[in-house]
Amino acid sequence: MTRQPPSLEIKPAQGGKLMAGLSTDSAGLANYVVKRDWRRHLDREIRAEGCEGLALNPLINLDIQTYPGNSTTPLTVVAQARRGDGKRVIVAGNATTLWAYTGTEDTHYALNASGSSDYFANDAGTYVDENQYGWIQIAGGLSASGRRWESVQVGDYLVLNNGVDLPLTYRPGDLKAFPIYELREQQIASVGTIAAHDSNLLCMDLWQINDADFSVLMAPTRGAYPVSHTSSGQLLTASGNPADPKTLFPDGNSGTLATPGLTLFFSTGQSALITQVTGGSSGVIISLATSSLYTGQTEPIALGPVYLENPSSYGVFTTAGAMQRYPWRMLPSMPGQPRRFGATVPVGANLLDRQLILKYPIRSLPELVTKNQAGGSVASSTGGATDIVVTYAGSGGSSLTVAVTGIRPDIAMSCFIAQPVLSPVVATGNQTSSLEASDAFNSYAGTFTDLVDDGGAIIKALQLRDQIVVYKETPSIFLGTFTGDALTPYTFQRIAIANEGQTLKYRNTLIAAGGGFYGSAHIYAGRKAFYKFDLFTQTPQELPELQAAQDIFFAAAAVDPENAFVAENPLTREWLWGWSGSGPDRALCYDYAYKTCRTTSAPIHCASRVQHPSRGDWLFLYGDDEGGVQRYGLFDAPVEHPAATASVSPSGMPNYVTVTSSSPSFTRDHIGKTLVFASGDMVAVTGWNSGTSVTAFGVAPNTTRPVGFTILPGIWHRNSLGYDSVLESGLGDLGLAESEKIVTRYSMIAASQSRNATVNVAFKAALNPSMPVVVQSASIISPAAGHNLIQPTFMGCYVGNRLTVAGFNNPFDLIAQVWKVNVANSASAGRL
């Protein structure tokens, strides 16, 4: 007598894992071979939330907030810049452009009374119109060949690096992101990767410009004609083509064009900003910003030589043969000041003179000191040094520490100092004098640390507890400890990795995990598996929870390794490893709370957790393939039960309604949440009108009278479009692999929290687990109302199913699946 299989009830806690890399019969009915846009929550599988375009200010048009600068190019960075006073700004960018979001309600960008950009709403300066901008461009014209942006927070600055341009810094309140000028003045062409440790910015994998080529790059162009300055703020050439400023600054065949925005330097040490270039009967006329002429001294600009800054000095430098790569090298900044690297510049001065002439124009010095028109003591503009050290300029050739009393505000080729030079110094020759900020003179800033090992490049570094962990492309990891010593700021311990496959393969997939001192760890993608590295074992260990699903990531990431990335979603407690490209899945998500995996079909191209600029609660933002910034459709907020009723009326737009509450129940923060009416109907809030009125996406409730409602902190649509959530089981034999079975009953048990969703169930069966076929599909309507039972009739030695929730505004919670089968009589006449 053939044994009859019992009814089988399967709950998520009995498996619930994504096992796409295993055979379907190994996954079985308790696990999944597809788990797309479903996620584990407590005792159930729930439909993963959708997304909406970034909408932090309801007064600004949604498209302006979602698409920075009307961008259509995939974004490669979404990050947040923070300041010590609590100000937070969202930054996004593609390969060539960076933007900062200015669209919150309680923070304003302004130019303060001194003309500098600041962030205070009560300042007397000129405000940027938030309603007009939403996003402001903070950097443009960046290299299209740059890698995916990496970002770290150091002090008040967000630092961004693409491996080609000089790293950029952005401080909330600034209207621009600025290159780190001192890196170029240290002869750095580009930085391979950056990290933050103990308030230091660490630049690693360095390209350094050769001495001779650096001198050419930084040198200004000397004018071909003497010039005179007029009282109207113009320069006139004595001769030359009036329509062509290249005759004033010839440079080979092409010429160096004197264009607005560049700076002119005069033999007197003064400088002026070019504002306009025009022609005239007397020669080339260049209009100057008279307010930018140096006013710390009284002598006028005289007829004489003039120099033009090289516009390429701080630009992209990729000249072959003119630079050398040091892939194992690390360079730390000054603590809390990622713009400062102890840069020095050759200077010259005459005996008893108070003017220092720099060998070439630099941009870092004006960042450290502020021009003082009265010639008094100098105040620091960035919290840096107010004094400089000039070597060999003191009594008997000692170093002279002195205050700067006058300087151009943005670029300098000379400066005036408070005390005279006591020894004649020159900028060339055997005894080269140099200028350096006093607080950097004896510091570790600018001190190189070489982790040569076998010559492999530094791929990435990340802080772990109080140490910096440096991952190299060769099988070794370095643990660094900060000493603060000027000569040896870091000491390192090398850890050899026996298995080369355990090395970090994908640069942007390294992330920190929490959990106590020894539990704190790094998680990263190696060659073919995910690994954990901690300070206790100091040996990479493969994560077993990811083994059965990790092939999804590695197959996709191998196509474009530099664009593989990781981000944490604190709302769902997941690490998300994404990749560029197309396909049904765009990221592998690992739930570190329940140790299960899933995938998502959302077009995620970069992502980051950020805090709301004004409230401070967590958001998860991602940049999509079309250049938009999307907010994951879940809020860090509880379910709300307003003591009010609501009525619904058409809004005039298809599929949109206006919801009116009987008492004030709505705030701007409800945009992106869902209203559930007592009738079971749901609408997603997309706009705020007043405390009693919102605009929502969805249909009117099935009632003609006001009804009670609940506010859920999530949405289940993607910019008003539906998406498919697919949950496909493996194949099970119910304990009788050699017998055909008839599925006589299948029941899907929805959790009590489930809503009124439609779930499509497709059954599959096979005589052999390698040959499953879909044999029957059925739609189950309103499982929350009890219609969750179907009676299919099909045969197979192995059975399984696929659940799909499609469309929008339809969350669903699955708590169990019940299978009832009978063994088939294979010898019956019905089988002929």
Side-chain angles (χ1 to χ4, degrees):
M1 182 175 183
T2 304
R3 178 171 60 89
Q4 289 290 99
S7 297
L8 179 65
E9 181 179 82
I10 301 172
K11 295 185 177 182
Q14 297 169 333
K17 296 181 179 180
L18 176 61
M19 294 187 166
L22 300 183
S23 301
T24 56
D25 56 326
S26 297
L29 291 174
N31 294 302
Y32 311 110
V33 294
V34 177
K35 187 179 181 181
R36 180 179 304 126
D37 293 314
W38 289 78
R39 64 183 182 87
R40 179 75 176 274
H41 180 66
L42 298 175
D43 63 340
R44 52 195 182 272
E45 302 287 359
I46 68 174
R47 189 185 192 203
E49 294 80 6
C51 68
E52 66 165 5
L54 185 66
L56 299 184
N57 189 340
L59 304 178
I60 299 177
N61 181 277
L62 178 61
D63 285 344
I64 293 177
Q65 298 183 77
T66 300
Y67 297 97
N70 295 319
S71 170
T72 58
T73 303
L75 299 179
T76 57
V77 65
V78 173
Q80 187 165 63
R82 303 186 304 275
R83 215 167 69 175
D85 59 5
K87 301 301 180 184
R88 294 178 290 264
V89 174
I90 296 169
V91 174
N94 56 31
T96 61
T97 312
L98 296 171
W99 296 271
Y101 186 81
T102 66
T104 53
E105 304 149 33
D106 61 343
T107 52
H108 298 261
Y109 285 82
L111 296 179
N112 62 26
S114 65
S116 301
S117 59
D118 217 325
Y119 202 94
F120 300 102
N122 60 352
D123 200 283
T126 303
Y127 292 108
V128 173
D129 183 357
E130 291 181 335
N131 293 325
Q132 177 181 353
Y133 289 98
W135 292 88
I136 60 171
Q137 181 176 313
I138 58 174
L142 301 166
S143 175
S145 61
R147 297 195 301 251
R148 170 180 289 269
W149 290 100
E150 54 182 351
S151 63
V152 296
Q153 182 77 32
V154 181
D156 281 350
Y157 296 89
L158 179 72
V159 186
L160 301 112
N161 180 54
N162 66 1
V164 177
D165 293 276
L166 279 174
L168 298 150
T169 61
Y170 178 72
R171 180 177 181 265
D174 287 346
L175 299 180
K176 292 175 60 180
F178 295 96
I180 302 179
Y181 299 130
E182 286 201 27
L183 282 174
R184 179 54 50 86
E185 292 157 16
Q186 288 276 38
Q187 298 183 220
I188 303 299
S190 60
V191 174
T193 185
I194 58 175
H197 179 253
D198 279 355
S199 77
N200 294 328
L201 173 64
L202 304 180
C203 295
M204 295 158 286
D205 184 8
L206 306 178
W207 283 91
Q208 294 180 237
I209 306 171
N210 301 333
D211 292 347
D213 299 284
F214 180 73
S215 297
V216 173
L217 176 67
M218 301 301 291
T221 301
R222 178 167 177 166
Y225 304 100
V227 297
S228 60
H229 170 243
T230 68
S231 59
S232 61
Q234 294 178 335
L235 286 174
L236 305 176
T237 61
S239 61
N241 181 357
D244 187 1
K246 287 186 290 186
T247 60
L248 182 62
F249 296 99
D251 180 16
N253 296 323
S254 60
T256 299
L257 188 63
T259 57
L262 297 181
T263 301
L264 293 177
F265 302 97
F266 303 90
S267 58
T268 58
Q270 297 163 301
S271 59
L273 185 69
I274 301 173
T275 59
Q276 185 179 5
V277 179
T278 58
S281 59
S282 301
V284 178
I285 300 176
I286 301 177
S287 299
L288 306 176
T290 54
S291 61
S292 72
L293 293 174
Y294 179 74
T295 57
Q297 304 293 316
T298 57
E299 67 267 20
I301 294 177
L303 187 72
V306 64
Y307 298 83
L308 175 69
E309 70 168 297
N310 183 354
S312 300
S313 294
Y314 294 91
V316 173
F317 188 86
T318 57
T319 305
M323 56 183 180
Q324 176 69 41
R325 185 186 182 190
Y326 297 89
W328 56 79
R329 181 162 287 179
M330 183 182 80
L331 181 65
S333 73
M334 294 190 68
Q337 300 186 64
R339 299 192 56 77
R340 304 194 53 205
F341 285 83
T344 61
V345 59
V347 297
N350 296 318
L351 181 65
L352 301 182
D353 201 345
R354 296 193 180 200
Q355 183 180 12
L356 302 177
I357 304 299
L358 282 62
K359 186 177 181 179
Y360 43 78
I362 65 170
R363 292 190 179 273
S364 66
L365 184 60
E367 292 187 334
L368 302 180
V369 293
T370 304
K371 180 176 64 175
N372 188 294
Q373 303 287 3
S377 60
V378 176
S380 170
S381 61
T382 60
T386 60
D387 294 336
I388 60 171
V389 175
V390 185
T391 57
Y392 311 119
S395 177
S398 62
S399 295
L400 176 66
T401 302
V402 64
V404 176
T405 60
I407 202 168
R408 272 271 303 151
D410 57 355
I411 190 169
M413 196 169 175
S414 71
C415 65
F416 288 84
I417 55 179
Q419 302 173 31
V421 170
L422 301 179
S423 297
V425 296
V426 293
T428 59
N430 295 329
Q431 191 182 48
T432 300
S433 297
S434 62
L435 176 156
E436 185 176 1
S438 61
D439 61 344
F441 186 69
N442 291 316
S443 79
Y444 57 80
T447 301
F448 295 116
T449 299
D450 288 339
L451 306 178
V452 179
D453 192 26
D454 56 0
I458 295 173
I459 300 297
K460 195 75 172 177
L462 186 65
Q463 184 163 340
L464 181 56
R465 301 300 293 182
D466 58 347
Q467 293 187 283
I468 184 72
V469 184
V470 180
Y471 296 84
K472 299 192 68 177
E473 65 180 352
T474 48
S476 59
I477 294 175
F478 284 81
L479 294 183
T481 301
F482 178 62
T483 67
D485 181 75
L487 298 178
T488 311
Y490 280 88
T491 59
F492 281 93
Q493 169 194 355
R494 178 181 179 271
I495 298 173
I497 301 176
N499 181 359
E500 188 171 351
Q502 296 173 322
T503 58
L504 174 63
K505 165 69 173 177
Y506 297 91
R507 179 191 311 276
N508 299 305
T509 63
L510 177 65
I511 194 167
F517 186 90
Y518 292 117
S520 297
H522 288 167
I523 309 296
Y524 63 89
R527 301 283 173 176
K528 292 292 183 181
F530 289 97
Y531 293 94
K532 167 188 174 183
F533 179 84
D534 59 44
L535 298 177
F536 179 64
T537 63
Q538 296 189 5
T539 301
Q541 303 171 70
E542 187 171 351
L543 288 180
E545 299 90 351
L546 282 159
Q547 286 178 349
Q550 61 194 15
D551 288 351
I552 297 174
F553 168 82
F554 288 101
V559 177
D560 187 2
E562 281 294 339
N563 271 317
F565 67 94
V566 68
E568 181 185 8
N569 185 344
L571 304 173
T572 59
R573 297 180 294 180
E574 292 176 313
W575 296 318
L576 179 150
W577 281 281
W579 52 85
S580 64
S582 58
D585 296 313
R586 293 298 304 274
L588 176 67
C589 308
Y590 173 67
D591 187 325
Y592 51 77
Y594 298 107
K595 295 180 171 51
T596 60
C597 294
R598 69 177 178 100
T599 63
T600 179
S601 61
I604 300 175
H605 209 268
C606 63
S608 177
R609 62 176 186 176
V610 303
Q611 287 182 279
H612 191 284
S614 56
R615 297 195 309 266
D617 51 304
W618 286 105
L619 306 173
F620 183 66
L621 303 183
Y622 69 83
D624 64 25
D625 292 343
E626 298 179 350
V629 179
Q630 306 290 336
R631 182 188 65 80
Y632 186 79
L634 183 65
F635 272 95
D636 184 13
V639 176
E640 299 177 53
H641 301 277
T645 58
S647 57
V648 180
S649 60
S651 68
M653 297 183 293
N655 296 323
Y656 284 84
V657 296
T658 298
V659 180
T660 303
S661 174
S662 60
S663 61
S665 305
F666 305 124
T667 68
R668 294 176 174 90
D669 295 338
H670 287 114
I671 297 176
K673 297 183 180 181
T674 297
L675 305 182
V676 182
F677 301 103
S679 60
D681 296 286
M682 306 174 67
V683 295
V685 179
T686 59
W688 178 85
N689 304 319
S690 68
T692 58
S693 176
V694 292
T695 302
F697 169 68
V699 297
N702 188 21
T703 180
T704 58
R705 296 179 299 174
V707 295
F709 64 98
T710 299
I711 304 177
L712 302 181
I715 52 174
W716 290 268
H717 65 86
R718 292 179 181 165
N719 293 317
S720 301
L721 296 176
Y723 58 99
D724 289 352
S725 297
V726 181
L727 194 65
E728 182 174 341
S729 75
L731 291 173
D733 60 14
L734 286 85
L736 297 173
E738 70 282 358
S739 301
E740 282 191 294
K741 291 165 283 291
I742 301 175
V743 179
T744 60
R745 180 174 294 183
Y746 169 81
S747 180
M748 188 170 51
I749 302 176
S752 58
Q753 293 86 350
S754 290
R755 305 298 170 180
N756 199 17
T758 298
V759 183
N760 180 277
V761 183
F763 294 99
K764 56 184 183 178
L767 295 176
N768 186 301
S770 65
M771 303 174 59
V773 294
V774 176
V775 296
Q776 184 175 342
S777 295
S779 292
I780 302 178
I781 310 298
S782 305
H787 303 291
N788 59 349
L789 186 69
I790 60 174
Q791 293 180 312
T793 301
F794 62 90
M795 295 184 184
C797 293
Y798 293 86
V799 296
N801 68 345
R802 182 175 63 242
L803 309 181
T804 304
V805 179
F808 51 82
N809 288 356
N810 48 2
F812 182 71
D813 295 16
L814 176 68
I815 200 170
Q817 300 181 74
V818 179
W819 293 81
K820 175 65 175 176
V821 300
N822 292 329
V823 174
N825 183 0
S826 302
S828 66
R831 293 290 292 155
L832 296 179

